[in-house]
Amino acid sequence: MANLLRPATWGLFSWRGYCSRGTQGRLSAGFVEALKAIVGSPHVSTAAVVREQHGHDESMHMCQPPDAVVWPQNVEQVSQLAALCYGQGVPIIPFGTGSGLEGGVCAVQGGVCVNLIRMDRILELNPEDFSVVVEPGVTRKALNTHLRDCGLWFPVDPGADASLCGMAATGASGTNSVRYGTMRDNVLNLEVVLPGGRQLHTAGRGRRFWKSAAGYNLTGLFVGSEGTLGLITAATLRLHPVPEATVAATCAFPTVQAAVDSTVHILQAAVPVARIEFLDEVMMDACNRHSKLNCYVAPTLFLEFHGSEQALAEQVQRTEEVIRHNGGSHFSWAKEAEERSRLWAARHSAWYASLALRPGCKGYSTDVCVPISRLSEILVQTKEDLEAWRLTGSASLPRAPGAGRGGAGAAALSFGPPGTVVGHVGDGNFHCILLVDPEDPEELLRAQAFAEQLGRRALALHGTCTGEHGIGLGKRQLLLEEVGVVGMETMRQLKATLDPRGLMNPGKVL
Ligand SMILES: Cc1cc2nc3c(=O)[nH]c(=O)nc-3n(C[C@H](O)[C@H](O)[C@H](O)COP(=O)(O)OP(=O)(O)OC[C@H]3O[C@@H](n4cnc5c(N)ncnc54)[C@H](O)[C@@H]3O)c2cc1C
């Protein structure tokens, strides 16, 4: 229990560049030789720079390097590695592309980082069953490039080009999830190497059905397990037909409330919108600058519709009616593929557009998700809180790190750094991207306290502290508050059954 009661953002704020473990840790020369015997010498590294690269993700969590990094090339090697590490009491940390935002790959107890990116084959494509089997090194963009000519695609699209098995491990989602679902809805089967080395097929070897009532849902257990129960070495994924026609749009709103009300009304009107994304005015300004867009600077919705030409016309008409009713304006339609790609590339670059507003600062992303009926309430309140906590301001005033402590530019900084808000509002999920000066401890603590308050507000509104990024290191206290003591105990018992020695990605989730 003592572990559970650590501050919710334990381990934050001493990120990459600074490592807690300067020298190679506790692995004996004989153990490293045993790793080399399994995967081959070129696929093992104990170099400090390599360990440091693998000790952090894209979040602000402190870089904590593993003692060694290995790159297996097949599932048998992964099994042997797991058996070796488990037998010797060495922690195992799975690594995809390191794009996570919750410190999931930090080696808090040292150990062996298993980088799965060199297992990058598409093992099986079954177009007639709308399914594909991929190894853990295949990324979402690589899969869609492979599928380009077969009329199918995989819609789950986090902003980063993450590995598909890493996405399964975090329960990722993206801009298309309002129509096509998250990883939880699109994973049909997983091949998992359990901590001791045994191989598990969560839905049975080779199976790729869409529904089942056969026993416990083991696939569901591993989706979102964040590397704490086993190493995912293959995923069977559900594919979708490429829509006949697509049209995208942006439109501006007088207030945040009007943008969110429109979202709710569009969903209530049963418009099968494929994407509906919210950007506040600070985010919109940042995207204009970073991605050379020319959108009106105001609370904005990015939308996309998929279907036949006839269906699209109807969806667009109903959506326009709803939006105009809520005071929306400045419509801009994009039908050509190039123009749509430009728009969505800008949306996917929102994280980097935010970072560019305050060079030298670090991004800290919140990730709450609430029932759609509570979305406008929490978003409007959050915008006010950002101002009250001095964590947002006008993006048109570029701010240097350190200026907030009274140096040049202090007057401009009275509004705070330019924190942005962006969200998958069709799912009730949004992110505040706080731009934090790493040299300013007061600002760091303020961001941390704001994020905890926001998490608790989402819980009070029957929501969750994380819609898609996961618990990782920083949200364990909020998880306890979310699922309660019995929920937490049940999770601990499941963990203890599968990983009795507590060596699979220790220190995460629980
Ligand atoms: C710019 C940007 C935008 C983003 N946008 C989104 C978004 O819209 N939606 C969203 O959901 N996320 C988003 N993310 C977060 C991130 O991309 C996702 O969490 C992604 O799923 C992580 O995949 P990865 O391969 O990088 O995993 P990693 O970061 O390498 O690992 C993440 C966790 O999964 C575990 N893991 C990785 N691979 C495996 C495996 N094969 N088996 C078992 N465990 C494994 C790791 O141990 C770790 O705990 C964004 C990140 C960035 C930087």
Side-chain angles (χ1 to χ4, degrees):
M1 183 61 99
N3 237 4
L4 295 178
L5 297 176
R6 280 176 176 151
T9 42
W10 174 83
L12 264 183
F13 306 144
S14 197
W15 42 86
R16 59 184 62 190
Y18 166 74
C19 281
S20 59
R21 296 150 56 82
T23 56
Q24 191 197 323
R26 302 154 295 180
L27 300 182
S28 68
F31 185 87
V32 174
E33 285 310 310
L35 294 175
K36 289 180 180 171
I38 295 171
V39 294
S41 289
H43 306 292
V44 177
S45 179
T46 53
V49 64
V50 174
R51 294 188 296 110
E52 187 176 334
Q53 277 164 3
H54 287 80
H56 63 79
D57 55 14
E58 291 284 327
S59 70
M60 295 186 66
H61 285 284
M62 181 167 72
C63 170
Q64 301 188 76
D67 300 311
V69 181
V70 295
W71 289 266
Q73 299 111 68
N74 56 56
V75 62
E76 281 70 35
Q77 291 181 352
V78 179
S79 280
Q80 289 174 40
L81 287 168
L84 173 71
C85 292
Y86 217 66
Q88 299 289 316
V90 174
I92 304 163
I93 306 103
F95 193 100
T97 64
S99 72
L101 294 174
E102 294 297 343
V105 297
C106 299
V108 295
Q109 296 177 16
V112 173
C113 172
V114 181
N115 185 328
L116 294 149
I117 211 73
R118 291 185 190 163
M119 291 173 63
D120 62 354
R121 287 175 304 161
I122 294 172
L123 296 174
E124 202 181 310
L125 175 61
N126 297 292
E128 65 286 359
D129 288 333
F130 299 90
S131 76
V132 67
V133 184
V134 297
E135 286 193 322
V138 179
T139 66
R140 68 172 185 86
K141 285 186 183 169
L143 175 61
N144 278 323
T145 303
H146 183 84
L147 295 173
R148 191 173 281 156
D149 297 325
C150 73
L152 296 170
W153 69 307
F154 186 69
V156 185
D157 63 334
D161 187 20
S163 74
L164 290 156
C165 290
M167 288 163 57
T170 59
S173 58
T175 63
N176 292 297
S177 294
V178 64
R179 167 98 176 244
Y180 299 95
T182 71
M183 288 305 282
R184 289 198 188 274
D185 308 295
N186 286 285
V187 176
L188 301 177
N189 200 350
L190 292 172
E191 178 188 79
V192 180
V193 170
L194 297 172
R198 287 190 304 154
Q199 291 173 26
L200 166 73
H201 295 262
T202 56
R205 187 185 289 272
R207 305 199 187 283
R208 52 176 192 263
F209 46 75
W210 283 6
K211 62 186 257 188
S212 162
Y216 297 138
N217 182 351
L218 296 181
T219 308
L221 176 62
F222 280 87
V223 175
S225 59
E226 301 185 45
T228 61
L229 300 179
L231 298 119
I232 301 171
T233 48
T236 306
L237 304 172
R238 184 171 179 166
L239 302 176
H240 298 259
V242 173
E244 180 189 313
T246 301
V247 61
T250 60
C251 60
F253 291 86
T255 60
V256 171
Q257 175 97 40
V260 179
D261 286 350
S262 297
T263 305
V264 175
H265 296 160
I266 289 165
L267 295 177
Q268 284 171 342
V271 178
V273 61
R275 291 166 143 171
I276 183 159
E277 297 281 306
F278 169 78
L279 294 80
D280 78 347
E281 66 284 3
V282 190
M283 186 79 255
M284 192 63 257
D285 194 15
C287 285
N288 276 345
R289 292 154 183 261
H290 185 74
S291 299
K292 311 280 178 284
L293 298 182
N294 197 21
C295 292
Y296 187 72
V297 176
T300 298
L301 288 180
F302 280 25
L303 303 113
E304 190 166 277
F305 306 92
H306 298 169
S308 64
E309 295 284 354
Q310 194 184 351
L312 280 194
E314 197 190 325
Q315 290 179 39
V316 165
Q317 186 199 335
R318 282 162 70 194
T319 301
E320 263 206 66
E321 282 166 16
V322 169
I323 286 175
R324 288 198 193 285
H325 176 77
N326 284 298
S329 63
H330 295 83
F331 279 91
S332 167
W333 295 99
K335 201 149 188 243
E336 299 308 318
E338 199 180 325
E339 183 56 18
R340 281 189 280 113
S341 299
R342 209 165 82 83
L343 203 60
W344 291 108
R347 166 60 190 90
H348 279 136
S349 299
W351 172 259
Y352 300 104
S354 301
L355 294 182
L357 287 178
R358 204 181 180 206
C361 285
K362 296 286 172 183
Y364 178 80
S365 177
T366 66
D367 181 36
V368 298
C369 182
V370 295
I372 195 84
S373 64
R374 313 309 291 270
L375 184 62
S376 73
E377 181 181 345
I378 193 168
L379 249 174
V380 169
Q381 182 66 58
T382 298
K383 285 285 288 174
E384 287 170 17
D385 286 349
L386 280 167
E387 300 271 352
W389 286 77
R390 292 178 292 117
L391 288 167
T392 194
S394 163
S396 57
L397 298 170
R399 279 138 193 178
R405 295 189 303 278
L413 267 168
S414 61
F415 295 98
T420 56
V421 181
V422 62
H424 313 298
V425 280
D427 303 323
N429 179 209
F430 69 91
H431 313 297
C432 301
I433 303 176
L434 310 175
L435 301 168
V436 181
D437 178 352
E439 304 301 323
D440 187 342
E442 188 276 328
E443 196 172 282
L444 295 176
L445 287 174
R446 205 151 24 96
Q448 182 177 343
F450 167 84
E452 286 184 25
Q453 177 188 282
L454 178 54
R456 294 203 168 94
R457 176 167 290 131
L459 297 186
L461 295 175
H462 310 287
T464 171
C465 63
T466 174
E468 54 183 22
H469 297 163
I471 298 295
L473 281 171
K475 297 205 175 84
R476 291 174 297 166
Q477 172 63 26
L478 289 170
L479 177 65
L480 170 63
E481 293 173 28
E482 183 165 331
V483 301
V485 172
V486 178
M488 207 67 177
E489 275 173 13
T490 307
M491 288 193 198
R492 283 188 180 282
Q493 285 164 1
L494 286 167
K495 165 84 173 166
T497 301
L498 289 164
D499 177 16
R501 300 188 71 180
L503 295 173
M504 255 336 285
N505 206 4
K508 315 297 162 50
V509 181
L510 299 172

